[in-house]
Amino acid sequence: MKKEEGLTVSLKISPNASKNEIIKTDDGVKIKIMAPPVDGKANKSLIEFLSKTFKIPKSSIEILRGETSKEKTLLIKITDDDKIAMIKSNLS
């Protein structure tokens, strides 16, 4: 979903995975993260992984909801339509 300040994305996170990866499922997108869900490590790792994957600054990714949950809503603060389209195709 596109907003004025960027793109909001809802996803599930699966910590303690064997590798970082994005998986499309019937009910949405699941992101596997190697970091454990302790002291915000999984959230930090999620932001770093998405930043590297989509070549956007870490500061452009914000967790709106689900800070301590496996279900998260992220705000990706970018306005480049090409990048938004690329991210949407990977995360929806």
Side-chain angles (χ1 to χ4, degrees):
M1 173 190 320
K2 190 174 177 184
K3 284 182 137 184
E4 287 299 311
E5 62 270 16
L7 181 68
T8 55
V9 180
S10 295
L11 48 87
K12 283 186 179 178
I13 181 174
S14 180
N16 287 326
S18 57
K19 66 178 183 174
N20 293 341
E21 64 181 324
I22 298 171
I23 299 171
K24 291 184 182 184
T25 66
D26 290 340
D27 12 316
V29 175
K30 182 179 191 178
I31 298 186
K32 291 186 171 188
I33 295 295
M34 292 190 301
V38 179
D39 300 330
K41 288 181 183 173
N43 288 340
K44 187 175 182 215
S45 184
L46 170 68
I47 290 170
E48 286 175 3
F49 173 62
L50 292 176
S51 170
K52 283 181 186 166
T53 301
F54 300 124
K55 296 177 178 53
I56 54 176
K58 287 186 273 194
S59 59
S60 296
I61 303 170
E62 179 185 337
I63 298 174
L64 296 178
R65 281 199 308 265
E67 194 76 32
T68 58
S69 168
K70 286 185 177 189
E71 299 201 12
K72 302 192 182 298
T73 301
L74 305 180
L75 172 63
I76 302 174
K77 297 179 253 184
I78 54 172
T79 53
D80 180 330
D81 287 335
D82 291 337
K83 271 219 196 279
I84 288 173
M86 187 261 296
I87 292 169
K88 273 185 170 179
S89 72
N90 283 281
L91 295 180
S92 59

